[in-house]
Amino acid sequence: MKRRNFIFDIFSIGLMSSLTTRLKAKTFNITPMVRSISTWKTTEANLKAGVMLDQGIDGLTAAVAGVAIEEENPKNTTVGFGGAPDRTGSVTLDACVMNHLGDCGSVVAVENIVNVAKLARDVMEKTPHVMLAGKGAEEFGVSEGYEKINLLTEASKNEWKKWLENEEYKPLINIENHDTIGMLCLDKDNNMSGACTTSGLAYKMKGRVGDSPIIGSGLFIDNKIGGAVATGLGEEVVKTVGSFLVVELMRQGMSPQEACENAVNRIVSSNSQKNKFQVAYIAMNKNGEVGSFSIEPGFTYMDYVNGKNEEIKTGSAL
Ligand code: SD4
């Protein structure tokens, strides 16, 4: 063999083997367990899902029932009924779900319907589509028997009126104004599903859509690897397809914690904005290991495992 070819062959063998190492998906030795995690201090919602998982209910049903608690909670001004309106005074909701089969459903900018994660599930299971937006989503909901109700509570209306006095749009993000719920559920069959539901950023422009209903941004599940959900400034999550990124990093061998840190740091290092903002991820792999990380301090998430539901503080990049 000529020396040049020999060197080329050695190089290509090396390249091939490093490629196959890199492309080999992570495998897990599974110990059966159930676990649910959800963004922010969504105690009741996570407990609901966790108890359902302990009862043997599947992950998707548990996740949709869990997040419904926040959708129906008028005090949570970032989700469902009582959510803060856009700057014209309309409450518009975004949600999505994804199951262990890789099926997904999403609804975008829906008015007058409270349980939009369930509606996203109905889009997934009862229509030939993945996403329905605005009036179309609302009409589909009504045809499925969802009740139409005004989502704007007196309290949210009053806050909006106060906001109108200066009309300063500052989506400063943290515990004070962020409670979007994203939830991941690992069920007794070791299947993972998730849901994400929000009213988006308070006083957003009419028609604005964030990351939460976008599969891969607000939520992503790959049942061979695990799942991730995002909360925070959706514009920044969308730019890096954040939840998909976290799952892909886990596929390459990172722990959920390492993957969340990596995805957050990617936003921090490529950030063109000078303003402060929050983005946080939570993730779980097929072994039931979890991780979480945020840009700004202050983010917490709920963790239900072995019958215990606890609030966990996360580390942050800044
Ligand atoms: C959005 N990511 O619409 C959502 C907002 C959020 O807690 O997470 N709020 O950008």
Side-chain angles (χ1 to χ4, degrees), residues 237-253:
V237 176
V238 166
K239 286 181 195 172
T240 52
V241 201
S243 293
F244 181 75
L245 177 62
V246 172
V247 174
E248 285 307 297
L249 292 171
M250 293 197 288
R251 185 194 308 281
Q252 288 169 28

Side-chain angles (χ1 to χ4, degrees), residues 110-154:
V110 189
E111 291 179 55
N112 305 316
I113 288 180
V114 178
N115 295 124
V116 279
K118 185 167 183 289
L119 186 60
R121 180 181 188 167
D122 282 336
V123 171
M124 173 176 97
E125 291 177 346
K126 300 179 182 168
T127 80
H129 305 304
V130 164
M131 299 181 89
L132 287 182
K135 276 281 161 240
E138 186 183 323
E139 283 165 20
F140 168 66
V142 171
S143 75
E144 287 297 318
Y146 288 72
E147 197 188 340
K148 267 177 85 160
I149 68 160
N150 179 8
L151 301 173
L152 188 65
T153 55
E154 270 315 296

Side-chain angles (χ1 to χ4, degrees), residues 22-211:
R22 267 194 281 142
L23 292 177
K24 214 190 287 159
K26 186 162 171 67
T27 49
F28 296 100
N29 292 324
I30 307 294
T31 331
M33 67 184 291
V34 303
R35 191 165 198 168
S36 72
I37 56 174
S38 57
T39 53
W40 303 108
K41 197 168 186 254
T42 47
T43 314
E44 296 306 315
N46 202 55
L47 182 65
K48 169 95 188 174
V51 167
M52 286 174 79
L53 293 172
D54 268 341
Q55 289 166 347
I57 291 166
D58 70 276
L60 183 63
T61 303
V64 169
V67 300
I69 302 246
E70 289 302 330
E71 290 173 334
E72 290 161 18
N73 173 7
K75 292 206 177 114
N76 183 336
T77 56
T78 319
V79 182
F81 180 64
D86 66 18
R87 57 188 68 174
T88 71
S90 309
V91 182
T92 61
L93 306 182
D94 297 331
C96 73
V97 296
M98 193 158 185
N99 70 11
H100 66 287
L101 300 170
D103 295 325
C104 47
S106 155
V107 291
V108 176
V110 189
E111 291 179 55
N112 305 316
I113 288 180
V114 178
N115 295 124
V116 279
K118 185 167 183 289
L119 186 60
R121 180 181 188 167
D122 282 336
V123 171
M124 173 176 97
E125 291 177 346
K126 300 179 182 168
T127 80
H129 305 304
V130 164
M131 299 181 89
L132 287 182
K135 276 281 161 240
E138 186 183 323
E139 283 165 20
F140 168 66
V142 171
S143 75
E144 287 297 318
Y146 288 72
E147 197 188 340
K148 267 177 85 160
I149 68 160
N150 179 8
L151 301 173
L152 188 65
T153 55
E154 270 315 296
S156 290
K157 194 176 182 174
N158 291 339
E159 284 300 310
W160 168 61
K161 287 205 168 139
K162 261 194 243 155
W163 179 82
L164 283 177
E165 289 164 15
N166 294 313
E167 294 200 24
E168 255 185 283
Y169 182 61
K170 274 203 211 144
L172 176 73
I173 295 195
N174 224 341
I175 187 69
E176 324 76 38
N177 53 2
H178 270 254
D179 293 303
T180 292
I181 181 162
M183 183 180 281
L184 298 171
C185 291
L186 185 66
D187 67 23
K188 67 163 193 335
D189 297 322
N190 197 245
N191 285 328
M192 196 174 297
S193 293
C196 186
T197 177
T198 189
S199 51
L201 299 176
Y203 321 129
K204 60 193 176 184
M205 286 176 69
K206 191 174 179 65
R208 178 265 184 192
V209 173
D211 60 312

